[in-house]
Amino acid sequence: MIRLRDITRYYTNGFVKTFVLRGVRLDVAEGEFLTIMGPSGAGKSTLLHILGMLDATSEGEYYFHDIPVHELTERRRTELHQQNIGFVFQSYHLIDDLTVYENLETPLLYKKVKAAERKSLVADMLDRFGIVAKKDLFPAQLSGGQQQLVAVARAMIIHPRLILADEPTGNLNSKQGEEIMALFRELNRAGTTIIQVTHSEKNAAYSHRIIHLCDGWVTGHQLAASG
Amino acid sequence: MWLRHFHSSWRYLSRHKGYAGLNIIGLTAGMVTCILISLWVWDEQHYDVHHLKADRIYRATRQVRFGGVDAWMGTLEPPAAAMFRQEFPEVEATVRIRHYDACVVRTGPVVFKETRLAFADPSLFDMFTLPLLQGDGGGALAEPRRLLVSRTSARKYFGAGDAVGRTLTLDGMGDFQIAGVFQDMPAAGHFHFDLIGSMTSLAEAREANWTTSNFYTYLLLRPGADPRAIEKKYVQVMTKHVGPLFESFFGKSVAQAIADGQFRLQLILQPLRSIHLHSKLRYEFEPNGDATYVYLFAVAALLVLGVAVVNYVNLATAQAIGRAREVGIRKSIGASRSQLALQFLAEPFMLSLLALGLAMSLVVMVLPLFNELTGKTLGLSMIAISSWVALGVGLIAVTSFLAGGYPALALSAFQPVRVLKSGWCAGGRGHWLRRSLVIFQFTVSGLLIIGVLVVSRQIEYAQTKNLGYEKEQVLVLDNAHLLGIQADAFKNEMLGDPRITHATISGCLPVPSSVFNYTAYADRRIDEAHAIPVSGFQVDVDYLPTLGLKLVAGRNFSRAHGTDDRAVIVNRALARQCGWREPVGHKLGIPGDDAINRGQVVLDEYTVIGVVDDFHFETLHSTIRPLVLRLGHQPELIAFRFVAGSAEEVVTRLRQTWLRVAPDQPFEYYFLDERFDSMYRAEDKVRRVLAVFVVLAVGVGCLGLMGLAAFMAERRAREMSIRKVCGASAADVLGRMLREFVLLVCVANALALPLAVYGANRWLAQYAYPAPLGVGLFVVSFALTLVVALLTVAWHVLQVARADPVIALRYE
């Protein structure tokens, strides 16, 4: 599903190049649950953003279902992203001015889904995640765990083939964290590919495979407990 | 999708009410200004369009150089109209209008002084579209002693009764029978008459006299005719008619005089519709508009709107930093850049829509005030619904794209990766943009402030300049001719009052009153070199002391000298032009009244007995021209010089005496200095309109600055707290925060300076006596903008300077 070849990412600051990723080579198969681990500043989030097409590579090749992402225009990239990828962040990143319902609906709007279909899709999600009662609340009125639940629902609503999660439980207490991770496992079993970034060994244990990043290099692969 | 954009914009605006409020107020102010000025400009540009044949009607005017002086004259000789019809096949019809701006009209006990009386040829109603309510216009004007009156005048004289068939007496002209009533002429026309008499009633209109020119002459050209062709042929045709007369006068042919450069005659046909804005004759029916002010005000209105748009750009880009996270999120869930840009355009669109709604209701409310300010009668129904729609759509399109364009592009360009990570994205570009925009706002404010100051100074200059006469403590009695032969007795009786020091009977004062313009001949030599166009005043022996005029040589008129009937007092300008070193004793040839009527020149000889120092007998627009004072009995006005502080008692005394001497006549008076001030009413109007612009531009600019200061205070709170922790005093912090604003205001003023100097010089060029442009103006403007800017930002900046650093740093 995903093929990264010698991905390098650096930022130029004056005459100094700061490397964040160096020659990353990675294959991810459809239906996999992958964890990226590493110390702070290792390049985990950057790798995730590149995978999510929010950031571009400096060098190297990125194939998504054999489509060369590194060659696409911004517009085509946005399209590919709209069709296939859902994001979940550590700090939820819901839109403060929109209700739960509207937050869920927004990705569908960008995908230009028809109104009737939007309505049924949002209703499905609210139902499936058990947040029907919360649909008219604003994010600030929800607990952290509930917000993350909405964020996952928002990521799932376009039926993505890939979910990218950046420390999804980082801001949650352990009980809420376990619920979210259980939800990811369930989604993965239903066929969604998931790539998460985490510091937590406990979260990593939910995945099939772990790669370790350090200073931008991939320093190791390991099969996870469930893998 | 659009609906969603509006929806989320609405949410955002209702959450950030301060931000929304500042923008709506600014945009509303800008739009109100634009709408009002659009109405005004539209009105100014649509004068005389109600005449159906307007595009074929031209007014014949002439540029004449004679005796070394150029003049642009709007009136022609009595036979000129007939000549146009005979000699130019392009001319389909002509109308002559003879205007009387002061005539007392009465019917029974009802007496009014009419300033809008005219006599016209019968073709008036064919050429111009002047709807008649009663009677037959052309037929009525074909007969002598017939009069048409406006509906308002008919009511004024006859109340609800029928006016047609009744008689009005025009003083000095006899009885006229009313033959019809016409609708009041619309405000947007370059002439307005209340009474129109038949031209055949006037003897001078019937004469084939080429030496007087008192008739405004309008030509209706045949469709497709070229006015330029008529202008080109004019001199040749005129020569045919007046050549022999000219030669007998000057001893050389017209062609020769033109070749010598002493004489020039150029016909200029003014298209009817452009008269109001573009005609600047010495004598018009009424004061015209001025195209310069139309452009000036249009630009000023756009600048005010520009300032409001700039506010939006400033505040929106400043807010953008807070919205970066939202952009990041939206991009991460699949928004494309164009979708985001559209969303951020929806916001200014909505704001301008709201602002337009508010602006329209405000326009309805302030229109009467605006009319008062501009002396207009503008109405909303003046322009068609479709034009309103166009105006509204235009305003919204311009404001939302100008205001929203840059913020939309800037916001939609945020890199989600960065903003999601760090929470915001500080753009260096935005900072420079905001600075430039603030500079723009203060440049506009500075320019407008200097504009108001320059206009004010010119008015003040006119009011305080040494005019050569004393305009204070002079009361002028209008309608003195109503006293008839008792005028002298009246004057003498009043002189018995100790509060009245001098009194003079004359028709001529250095404020708008009668003036005779003619050509005098130095040392009685009839040739081009000695011909001097002069203005003539008819005065009595008390004229000089009453007005406080200063004799610089010779003596005043005196009753003791029986020969003073043939004496003149001239001003220095005349003496200079004649080249006299010792003017007293020189002879001056003045065409006699009878001589002109016989179509040949006979000069009466006058002796110069005195020279009066130059005084401004016209506005400061023109230089002091040669002036001749002659003794004459012209009892139109009586001017009284009174002792300071006794104005009220003098008026009371005058009224009592008047009521005794002329109980049936209207008692009207004015003070000379007030009438003088009214000569600068046009300037005063410009000053007031500009002042409104200043308040708007500065006010709207300050709103934006306040928003910006609030934003800056928020952003720099942390930096300033760290500085304080490191030992900076509140004053240091304050200085550091204010420095930037001071710098911006300085740059803005530096930019405004050359523009203002250029503009002011252009405007002052219309005055022969411009007020000097002092440094003071610019210092005032600079100080004003600086103080206003600092006051605006002071509150927010003080908050930061006085804040407890611990609080700002706690949340790091």
Side-chain angles (χ1 to χ4, degrees):
Chain A
M1 179 185 196
I2 287 173
R3 217 157 16 109
L4 297 185
R5 290 292 173 267
D6 302 323
I7 293 290
T8 296
R9 183 72 174 112
Y10 52 79
Y11 296 102
T12 320
N13 193 354
F15 297 103
V16 187
K17 276 185 188 173
T18 314
F19 281 88
V20 185
L21 293 175
R22 304 173 200 244
V24 172
R25 189 185 171 93
L26 179 66
D27 291 288
V28 181
E30 187 104 50
E32 238 190 311
F33 192 159
L34 178 77
T35 300
I36 304 172
M37 295 187 84
S40 293
K44 306 181 299 282
S45 295
T46 306
L47 181 57
L48 201 68
H49 290 141
I50 287 175
L51 287 169
M53 303 173 197
L54 293 179
D55 201 357
T57 58
S58 303
E59 286 163 25
E61 295 165 2
Y62 171 15
Y63 296 93
F64 187 89
H65 280 286
D66 296 328
I67 300 166
V69 177
H70 54 280
E71 288 172 5
L72 296 182
T73 61
E74 188 182 331
R75 175 187 218 118
R76 282 283 298 131
R77 247 190 1 238
T78 305
E79 261 174 44
L80 200 61
H81 173 184
Q82 276 177 355
Q83 304 301 326
N84 297 295
I85 299 173
F87 255 102
V88 178
F89 301 93
Q90 176 178 358
S91 44
Y92 335 126
H93 283 333
L94 297 176
I95 299 174
D96 299 332
D97 293 338
L98 301 183
T99 62
V100 166
Y101 185 98
E102 289 160 348
N103 262 294
L104 291 186
E105 189 184 22
T106 308
L108 301 176
L109 285 167
Y110 288 132
K111 246 180 112 176
K112 302 201 169 82
V113 176
K114 294 265 181 312
E117 197 187 340
R118 277 205 312 261
K119 214 168 168 182
S120 77
L121 280 171
V122 174
D124 271 0
M125 275 297 153
L126 289 170
D127 207 22
R128 181 165 160 200
F129 283 78
I131 45 179
V132 178
K134 310 257 185 306
K135 74 181 170 57
D136 292 325
L137 297 182
F138 287 95
Q141 296 166 298
L142 301 176
S143 73
Q146 288 166 334
Q147 287 193 48
Q148 194 62 300
L149 207 60
V150 176
V152 175
R154 183 181 65 184
M156 286 304 296
I157 199 159
I158 56 163
H159 297 300
R161 295 154 88 168
L162 173 64
I163 282 190
L164 299 170
D166 194 349
E167 306 250 16
T169 63
N171 285 8
L172 303 178
N173 63 33
S174 52
K175 184 169 170 287
Q176 290 169 332
E178 276 169 30
E179 279 170 16
I180 293 292
M181 288 316 296
L183 181 60
F184 277 139
R185 181 157 58 195
E186 199 184 305
L187 292 174
N188 178 245
R189 283 182 182 152
T192 312
T193 311
I194 294 177
I195 303 178
Q196 69 164 340
V197 164
T198 186
H199 285 293
S200 148
E201 294 285 350
K202 214 166 110 193
N203 288 354
Y206 284 88
S207 64
H208 308 146
R209 184 157 68 103
I210 302 170
I211 63 163
H212 290 275
L213 275 183
C214 192
D215 296 336
W217 304 98
V218 177
T219 53
H221 292 259
Q222 134 188 26
L223 287 181
S226 66
Chain B
M1 198 70 192
W2 267 104
L3 217 60
R4 289 300 158 147
H5 290 329
F6 287 132
H7 189 203
S8 48
S9 296
W10 179 254
R11 282 265 173 79
Y12 185 81
L13 293 175
S14 44
R15 281 205 182 195
H16 300 81
K17 290 201 177 69
Y19 164 77
L22 286 181
N23 277 314
I24 289 176
I25 295 173
L27 287 174
T28 306
M31 285 184 180
V32 168
T33 318
C34 275
I35 293 170
L36 288 177
I37 294 298
S38 300
L39 279 176
W40 183 78
V41 168
W42 194 92
D43 179 68
E44 285 285 298
Q45 290 183 328
H46 287 75
Y47 264 61
D48 291 310
V49 291
H50 52 281
H51 300 297
L52 297 176
K53 297 174 184 167
D55 54 339
R56 291 196 286 135
I57 301 175
Y58 293 80
R59 182 167 76 176
T61 68
R62 295 176 299 181
Q63 279 183 343
V64 182
R65 173 182 294 158
F66 189 65
V69 174
D70 291 293
W72 191 348
M73 296 166 27
T75 47
L76 270 57
E77 305 85 350
M83 178 198 78
F84 275 111
R85 288 197 307 274
Q86 286 155 21
E87 304 274 358
F88 296 91
E90 300 97 320
V91 176
E92 185 179 308
T94 61
V95 169
R96 294 176 299 167
I97 297 178
R98 174 78 163 98
H99 182 217
Y100 284 82
D101 59 3
C103 180
V104 173
V105 179
R106 58 183 86 219
T107 172
V110 186
V111 183
F112 288 103
K113 183 170 174 182
E114 291 293 346
T115 57
R116 311 209 296 193
L117 164 68
F119 291 85
D121 288 323
S123 43
L124 180 78
F125 287 89
D126 288 335
M127 193 185 294
F128 295 100
T129 308
L130 303 169
L132 276 159
L133 302 170
Q134 271 179 290
D136 158 29
L141 291 184
E143 288 175 52
R145 307 231 148 254
R146 290 288 184 276
L147 197 62
L148 295 153
V149 297
S150 68
R151 200 225 292 252
T152 305
S153 296
R155 281 214 198 106
K156 189 168 81 174
Y157 285 99
F158 306 108
D162 201 359
V164 173
R166 311 279 285 268
T167 302
L168 285 181
T169 309
L170 276 51
D171 265 17
M173 286 185 260
D175 290 351
F176 285 76
Q177 196 192 1
I178 294 176
V181 178
F182 57 88
Q183 236 171 45
D184 290 358
M185 300 189 184
H190 78 285
F191 59 68
H192 298 88
F193 303 123
D194 286 327
L195 307 172
I196 302 175
S198 55
M199 190 61 95
T200 51
S201 320
L202 299 181
E204 63 172 333
R206 298 191 297 265
E207 288 168 5
N209 182 351
W210 288 97
T211 61
T212 66
S213 43
N214 289 318
F215 296 87
Y216 291 94
T217 305
Y218 292 82
L219 312 180
L220 176 67
L221 302 194
R222 292 186 195 286
D226 178 16
R228 301 286 152 271
I230 300 176
E231 289 173 354
K232 276 189 198 128
K233 273 196 295 183
Y234 175 72
V235 172
Q236 189 196 334
V237 173
M238 267 301 272
T239 308
K240 202 165 91 187
H241 288 263
V242 301
L245 182 70
F246 189 93
E247 239 177 294
S248 76
F249 225 75
F250 298 109
K252 59 168 85 168
S253 69
V254 174
Q256 189 57 47
I258 290 174
D260 293 350
Q262 292 163 333
F263 179 66
R264 199 171 87 91
L265 185 66
Q266 171 68 54
L267 179 75
I268 294 176
L269 295 181
Q270 299 176 315
L272 181 66
R273 279 185 298 206
S274 77
I275 289 176
H276 175 68
L277 278 187
H278 299 285
S279 176
K280 288 201 175 74
L281 304 176
R282 187 186 288 276
Y283 301 106
E284 298 276 359
F285 290 121
E286 300 165 14
N288 277 339
D290 190 330
T292 317
Y293 290 136
V294 171
Y295 300 133
L296 190 74
F297 288 170
V299 169
L302 286 179
L303 284 178
V304 173
L305 185 65
V307 168
V309 163
V310 161
N311 270 357
Y312 181 82
V313 177
N314 266 342
L315 295 175
T317 51
Q319 288 272 328
I321 287 158
R323 306 180 74 169
R325 197 181 78 101
E326 183 189 331
V327 174
I329 299 170
R330 287 184 184 271
K331 280 201 172 176
S332 74
I333 57 175
S336 68
R337 187 169 175 190
S338 57
Q339 283 168 327
L340 280 172
L342 273 182
Q343 184 198 328
F344 289 116
L345 271 179
E347 192 179 294
F349 180 81
M350 217 152 79
L351 284 172
S352 20
L353 207 65
L354 281 172
L356 183 70
L358 271 176
M360 280 312 298
S361 14
L362 268 175
V363 163
V364 173
M365 288 197 296
V366 301
L367 198 58
L369 274 175
F370 183 72
N371 277 335
E372 206 171 296
L373 189 72
T374 54
K376 291 254 178 207
T377 50
L378 305 176
L380 296 181
S381 56
M382 210 170 72
I383 62 179
I385 296 286
S386 57
S387 308
W388 277 113
V389 171
L391 183 65
V393 169
L395 277 174
I396 287 184
V398 167
T399 46
S400 37
F401 280 99
L402 281 183
Y406 178 78
L409 286 181
L411 276 167
S412 62
F414 279 144
Q415 290 299 318
V417 178
R418 289 200 206 174
V419 294
L420 288 181
K421 212 174 214 173
S422 63
W424 65 13
C425 155
R429 267 184 320 173
H431 196 50
W432 276 107
L433 178 86
R434 280 194 292 282
R435 282 182 181 164
S436 327
L437 292 177
V438 169
I439 290 175
F440 165 79
Q441 292 184 313
F442 276 90
T443 307
V444 170
S445 300
L447 263 179
L448 289 172
I449 290 174
I450 295 174
V452 171
L453 291 177
V454 168
V455 177
S456 302
R457 174 161 294 197
Q458 179 64 30
I459 297 174
E460 203 178 300
Y461 178 74
Q463 283 163 346
T464 56
K465 188 179 190 309
N466 181 6
L467 298 166
Y469 66 94
E470 288 158 28
K471 63 178 157 54
E472 282 79 25
Q473 274 115 48
V474 175
L475 183 146
V476 180
L477 202 59
D478 230 336
N479 301 343
H481 54 282
L482 297 179
L483 296 169
I485 50 169
Q486 300 179 76
D488 276 311
F490 186 87
K491 172 186 153 188
N492 289 331
E493 182 179 342
M494 292 309 300
L495 275 172
D497 189 304
R499 287 165 297 209
I500 291 172
T501 56
H502 300 280
T504 182
I505 299 179
S506 171
C508 314
L509 286 174
V511 292
S513 53
S514 352
V515 182
F516 299 94
N517 292 306
Y518 51 86
T519 308
Y521 296 86
D523 299 317
R524 274 213 75 207
R525 289 179 33 203
I526 301 187
D527 65 48
E528 194 58 39
H530 289 80
I532 313 227
V534 299
S535 290
F537 278 13
Q538 300 219 13
V539 302
D540 66 7
V541 295
D542 298 315
Y543 191 79
L544 267 55
T546 306
L547 286 184
L549 296 174
K550 212 171 88 197
L551 270 177
V552 292
R555 61 172 179 86
N556 189 7
F557 297 114
S558 162
R559 287 193 192 84
H561 290 72
T563 52
D564 274 2
D565 287 349
R566 288 284 164 170
V568 291
I569 294 176
V570 300
N571 67 354
R572 276 183 149 172
L574 187 136
R576 239 188 341 268
Q577 197 155 345
C578 293
W580 293 333
R581 233 174 258 150
E582 294 287 338
V584 175
H586 276 277
K587 303 291 182 200
L588 199 63
I590 296 174
D593 295 337
D594 315 337
I596 286 176
N597 285 346
R598 287 201 302 276
Q600 60 183 123
V601 180
V602 176
L603 292 183
D604 294 338
E605 184 183 276
Y606 287 81
T607 310
V608 176
I609 58 160
V611 181
V612 71
D613 205 0
D614 283 340
F615 66 101
H616 288 277
F617 61 92
E618 292 172 306
T619 64
L620 298 191
H621 287 93
S622 36
T623 50
I624 298 176
R625 298 181 301 126
L627 178 71
V628 175
L629 305 180
R630 267 194 288 172
L631 271 186
H633 192 67
Q634 195 194 353
E636 283 180 22
L637 308 167
I638 310 181
F640 298 94
R641 175 165 293 282
F642 55 89
V643 178
S646 62
E648 258 178 67
E649 298 131 52
V650 168
V651 171
T652 316
R653 178 74 205 282
L654 276 172
R655 180 177 284 123
Q656 286 165 355
T657 316
W658 177 279
L659 287 177
R660 201 183 65 236
V661 177
D664 298 336
Q665 314 296 354
F667 173 73
E668 286 173 17
Y669 69 95
Y670 54 83
F671 291 98
L672 192 61
D673 48 355
E674 285 173 12
R675 185 59 62 99
F676 175 86
D677 291 348
S678 74
M679 284 160 48
Y680 298 91
R681 203 168 279 157
E683 281 83 353
D684 194 45
K685 211 185 283 176
V686 171
R687 169 168 65 175
R688 282 184 293 167
V689 175
L690 271 182
V692 172
F693 281 134
V694 167
V695 171
L696 285 170
V698 173
V700 171
C702 283
L703 287 182
L705 198 63
M706 198 152 67
L708 212 57
F711 160 76
M712 196 184 85
E714 191 183 305
R715 269 206 76 191
R716 296 186 72 179
R718 180 171 171 269
E719 176 201 335
M720 293 303 156
S721 297
I722 295 172
R723 283 180 192 279
K724 280 177 103 172
V725 169
C726 297
S729 69
D732 289 335
V733 169
L734 199 65
R736 196 169 278 280
M737 300 267 298
L738 289 181
R739 192 183 300 159
E740 174 164 348
F741 288 109
V742 173
L743 204 71
L744 293 181
V745 173
C746 289
V747 173
N749 273 283
L751 284 175
L753 184 72
L755 288 170
V757 169
Y758 173 77
N761 281 329
R762 282 282 303 269
W763 186 76
L764 288 172
Q766 62 172 314
Y767 295 94
Y769 303 91
L773 276 183
V775 188
L777 292 181
F778 304 103
V779 174
V780 169
S781 153
F782 174 69
L784 211 61
T785 43
L786 191 63
V787 167
V788 167
L790 290 184
L791 282 180
T792 309
V793 301
W795 195 78
H796 289 293
V797 171
L798 270 176
Q799 292 294 98
V800 173
R802 294 171 54 193
D804 182 351
V806 178
I807 294 171
L809 293 178
R810 186 183 294 159
Y811 297 106
E812 271 306 301

